[in-house]
Amino acid sequence: FFLVFSSSLKYLNNICKMQQMRLLCLKRTTLPIQSHLNRSKRLFSAFNIEKVLCQNEKLLLTPGPLSTSPTVKACLTRDFGSRDQTFIDLISSVRQGILDVAGVSNTEYTSILMQGSGTFSVESSIGSVVPRDNGKILIITNGAYADRAGKIAKYLNIDMEFMRYIEDTKPNPSDVDKILSEHSNSGKPFSTVFMVHS
């Protein structure tokens, strides 16, 4: 899902370039909201948007990536209806772009865009990809996201096993081959392998 998100950002960046990097719109869109709040003399929320807008931008290091470029932020100043042809074309191009990155044909595969956190994507993937009958997942973990995937698999009553590495260590492909072969030879093969790539 991290690869999917990065691919989506690439296509959003391309669209933003066509809109001549509408950076000035960021300032314009906040002004009516502020003046409306001041005019009405009503407190809609304890959240102080003016204070937040005055803060320096933070570099968000959470996997995703969560930090976005100015061109992506500029795109967020434009509203699209879900049935607008522009929006439909954008979604189609992102879905096709994901298939292109994966190197597969749209006659055999499709990509589905899902809104939610990274954990939401992991849960939906594990819950739908791992077969319910005799499905078993090998979770290669060297950090919190894969550990969380194990919790999700347990919650969904999916047979799973961890292959653990410490956080600063890359998984070794020969170790993975070995455990897959061992389980396959014992008659209890893994149906699915999960790993977070960053």
Side-chain angles (χ1 to χ4, degrees):
F1 68 95
F2 300 125
L3 178 62
V4 168
F5 191 74
S6 297
S7 178
S8 301
L9 289 178
K10 174 185 168 192
Y11 284 94
L12 284 175
N13 272 322
N14 288 339
I15 290 212
C16 287
K17 287 175 187 172
M18 292 168 31
Q19 296 174 356
Q20 299 178 351
M21 297 175 48
R22 305 166 37 144
L23 294 174
L24 294 176
C25 291
L26 286 173
K27 292 179 183 176
R28 288 186 205 140
T29 56
T30 58
L31 293 176
I33 296 169
Q34 293 168 359
S35 60
H36 172 70
L37 289 175
N38 293 337
R39 247 194 336 253
S40 69
K41 304 284 186 192
R42 294 171 60 190
L43 182 64
F44 292 103
S45 169
F47 185 79
N48 186 337
I49 188 68
E50 291 167 352
K51 183 178 178 183
V52 171
L53 291 174
C54 291
Q55 295 174 357
N56 291 331
E57 284 276 338
K58 295 178 180 175
L59 178 61
L60 304 173
L61 299 176
T62 307
L66 293 182
S67 289
T68 55
S69 69
T71 53
V72 171
K73 286 180 177 70
C75 272
L76 298 177
T77 65
R78 178 87 180 253
D79 292 329
F80 293 101
S82 61
R83 301 196 184 238
D84 290 350
Q85 192 60 50
T86 303
F87 183 77
I88 292 168
D89 293 343
L90 170 64
I91 296 301
S92 295
S93 71
V94 171
R95 292 179 64 198
Q96 182 59 50
I98 292 167
L99 297 179
D100 293 344
V101 168
V104 295
S105 166
N106 63 8
T107 59
E108 295 181 64
Y109 296 91
T110 191
S111 62
I112 300 170
L113 305 182
M114 303 186 74
Q115 296 171 309
S117 66
T119 301
F120 174 81
S121 297
V122 170
E123 181 176 352
S124 62
S125 296
I126 291 173
S128 60
V129 170
V130 181
R132 289 296 179 174
D133 297 329
N134 300 319
K136 185 176 181 180
I137 185 170
L138 172 64
I139 298 177
I140 304 167
T141 180
N142 61 351
Y145 266 91
D147 288 344
R148 193 174 303 149
K151 291 178 184 176
I152 290 168
K154 285 181 184 178
Y155 180 81
L156 295 174
N157 294 317
I158 293 172
D159 192 14
M160 54 83 58
E161 187 172 318
F162 279 116
M163 180 175 209
R164 293 191 179 277
Y165 290 88
I166 57 174
E167 289 187 3
D168 62 349
T169 305
K170 292 180 182 178
N172 186 331
S174 62
D175 293 345
V176 177
D177 284 341
K178 182 180 177 185
I179 195 168
L180 291 175
S181 295
E182 287 172 357
H183 280 260
S184 182
N185 293 338
S186 69
K188 298 178 182 178
F190 290 103
S191 61
T192 312
V193 176
F194 177 95
M195 183 181 116
V196 174
H197 173 70
S198 58

